[in-house]
Amino acid sequence: MTPNDSKDMEHPENSEEYKGLAVNSGVKEAPIMNPYLNIKKRPKAKELSVDEYVEGILAGNRTILSRAITLAESNLTEHQEIAQNVIEKCLPHAGKSIRVGITGVPGAGKSTFIDALGTYLCKDSHKLAVLAIDPSSEKTKGSILGDKTRMEELSLEKNAFIRPSPSAGSLGGVARKTRESIVLCEAAGFDTIFVETVGVGQSETAMHSMVDFFLLIQLAGTGDELQGIKRGIMEMADGIAINKCDGNNIEKAQLAQRQFQNALHLFPMPESGQTPSVVTCSAYEKFHIEEVWKMVENYVAFTTKNGYFEYKRNQQSKYWMYETINEHLKNHFYHNTEIEKLLTEMEDKVNRNEITSFVAAWKVLDKYFEKI
Ligand code: GDP
């Protein structure tokens, strides 16, 4: 077979003996876009002044609220300057909501639960904002809470405002932004704030320091009800909801409820003066959703009466003052070019056993203090 033969086999229409259908040259495909369409660039949203932001937020304007949150989340100095001014002016109008933290391992049903409870509250004329602390993994750049289509029913409620979690950043940074978003949402008139986080690590401590009630969503029927979640997180909980109490899982959920109740009685009495309650619920079947809310309301009433509610909020404000100082000091220290250089040098020396870690640390600190 000559090279020409093979070409003819592939395209027999090119051969002179070919009598079949002829192939015409193709028709030029029409452009996807209408070439006559005159697309005007959408004008950039007008920059707002601090007062315009504050006025808009206090009037409950969602677009302006969203823009203010975006500004507060930005790392640009010029954005931060405006954002901090806006937050400061909103502060006197904030603080009047019930802040509920919701945590649980991935798959516990947090989104489904928030969808159910949130819709229930909105129908009961509450105004609800849902925020999230989700420090995305630096490695995957992925977000655990943000990617799914979530809270479909709630997102249709006009009384609900759902804000996806801030993009990747350090836990401290993301948590601070969430706390600032709480202030802005409260000033915009939201009376209930949910802060969601994944119950797998550090973010609970940050969340605990910004909410009034910490709800742990647990699962039954996994055989390791008490081991599945870290003891520290259990100790922070003001209430536990055993979710997925439906279908074949009802008995297991009730058993888990008793186990949790017994375990909680072994813990020292929380500072609030109230032993956490444990309820079973099904976010899917909307069973006992209002029971969970009653648990929150009872806790708020109890702690308001005994003064713990206000005490905790004051403690939290102090905590965030120190957190902010710590964050700035650390940034100032580690972003100093001379210090960065000296740190690399000291790391090498420590690795080579030429100097102890302690002495190396003091050499760097001395250099820093001498400079400022
Ligand atoms: P998250 O990762 O904690 O936010 O959990 P999701 O809300 O995404 O729920 C994880 C899975 O559990 C989904 O497939 C839900 O449909 C399911 N789920 C959530 N709540 C319930 C429930 O009350 N009962 C049952 N049977 N399934 C549920």
Side-chain angles (χ1 to χ4, degrees):
M1 199 162 63
T2 66
N4 261 349
D5 287 343
S6 77
K7 236 172 148 186
D8 284 352
M9 274 172 71
E10 212 179 304
H11 291 289
E13 71 275 12
N14 292 335
S15 153
E16 278 181 10
E17 288 105 66
Y18 180 71
K19 297 279 182 288
L21 284 172
V23 178
N24 296 324
S25 56
V27 179
K28 212 171 157 208
E29 208 173 291
I32 300 173
M33 295 279 287
N34 178 355
Y36 304 106
L37 193 68
N38 188 8
I39 302 177
K40 287 199 187 93
K41 259 192 157 175
R42 209 159 56 145
K44 246 179 114 183
K46 183 180 147 273
E47 297 281 334
L48 298 179
S49 68
V50 171
D51 287 340
E52 281 169 328
Y53 269 114
V54 177
E55 259 170 49
I57 292 170
L58 295 183
N61 182 324
R62 305 281 178 99
T63 317
I64 295 188
L65 171 65
S66 292
R67 282 180 63 184
I69 294 179
T70 307
L71 216 59
E73 285 173 358
S74 161
N75 289 328
L76 293 179
T77 325
E78 61 265 36
H79 289 169
Q80 274 305 311
E81 256 169 44
I82 305 176
Q84 292 310 323
N85 276 325
V86 173
I87 293 165
E88 208 178 312
K89 291 199 166 169
C90 282
L91 210 51
H93 307 275
K96 293 180 200 92
S97 79
I98 297 181
R99 306 164 182 170
V100 181
I102 297 173
T103 194
V105 292
K110 291 180 294 300
S111 341
T112 319
F113 176 81
I114 293 174
D115 199 23
L117 177 58
T119 309
Y120 166 79
L121 291 175
C122 287
K123 297 224 184 296
D124 195 26
S125 65
H126 280 277
K127 285 188 79 191
L128 170 73
V130 181
L131 309 169
I133 304 180
D134 179 17
S136 310
S137 151
E138 278 299 310
K139 271 190 200 143
T140 59
K141 295 271 179 240
S143 142
I144 310 178
L145 293 174
D147 298 338
K148 301 177 277 178
T149 314
R150 311 162 76 240
M151 305 168 201
E152 283 175 9
E153 206 180 334
L154 182 61
S155 55
L156 300 177
E157 286 291 335
K158 67 175 185 353
N159 277 349
F161 175 79
I162 305 173
R163 177 78 187 185
S165 55
S167 52
S170 72
L171 174 61
V174 173
R176 179 181 57 75
K177 289 167 188 176
T178 309
R179 189 174 146 87
E180 289 172 347
S181 303
I182 293 181
V183 171
L184 296 173
C185 289
E186 286 178 344
F190 289 93
D191 59 51
T192 313
I193 313 274
F194 286 175
V195 182
E196 179 188 9
T197 187
V198 179
V200 287
Q202 289 293 306
S203 32
E204 284 70 28
T205 322
M207 179 166 88
H208 192 242
S209 57
M210 63 176 84
V211 298
D212 306 312
F213 187 93
F214 188 104
L215 176 69
L216 175 61
I217 303 213
Q218 274 288 43
L219 287 176
T222 48
D224 57 353
E225 284 78 10
L226 297 179
Q227 288 80 40
I229 199 97
K230 291 195 180 75
R231 191 192 149 105
I233 295 179
M234 279 273 288
E235 278 178 4
M236 278 184 222
D238 299 304
I240 296 179
I242 319 260
N243 191 29
K244 307 201 186 180
C245 180
D246 47 43
N248 299 332
N249 213 24
I250 297 180
E251 267 178 39
K252 282 184 206 151
Q254 286 166 346
L255 175 68
Q257 181 187 23
R258 288 194 293 277
Q259 286 174 331
F260 274 114
Q261 250 154 5
N262 291 339
L264 285 168
H265 279 295
L266 300 177
F267 286 1
M269 177 59 95
E271 259 189 296
S272 64
Q274 195 174 66
T275 307
S277 317
V278 186
V279 297
T280 52
C281 71
S282 165
Y284 205 64
E285 293 190 350
K286 299 192 167 52
F287 162 73
H288 266 184
I289 296 300
E290 63 286 5
E291 298 298 312
V292 181
W293 188 244
K294 265 190 214 142
M295 177 164 81
V296 178
E297 285 184 324
N298 288 343
Y299 176 91
V300 172
F302 181 83
T303 52
T304 306
K305 206 163 161 215
N306 73 5
Y308 181 73
F309 191 90
E310 206 189 326
Y311 166 79
K312 189 172 168 190
R313 283 213 171 166
N314 289 341
Q315 291 294 99
Q316 289 174 336
S317 299
K318 265 195 275 181
Y319 170 89
W320 282 100
M321 183 181 88
Y322 285 110
E323 269 299 292
T324 312
I325 294 176
N326 291 347
E327 201 183 319
H328 279 274
L329 282 179
K330 248 164 107 176
N331 278 345
H332 192 258
F333 178 78
Y334 284 109
H335 291 157
N336 180 308
T337 34
E338 269 184 64
I339 295 294
E340 276 179 70
K341 236 170 65 197
L342 191 59
L343 275 171
T344 327
E345 224 174 88
M346 288 300 141
E347 258 187 46
D348 284 345
K349 286 194 173 176
V350 170
N351 276 345
R352 288 197 301 268
N353 280 331
E354 285 174 18
I355 191 171
T356 70
S357 321
F358 185 75
V359 174
W362 270 112
K363 274 192 189 295
V364 183
L365 287 171
D366 280 343
K367 177 84 183 174
Y368 181 71
F369 289 126
E370 171 190 304
K371 276 180 56 65
I372 54 169

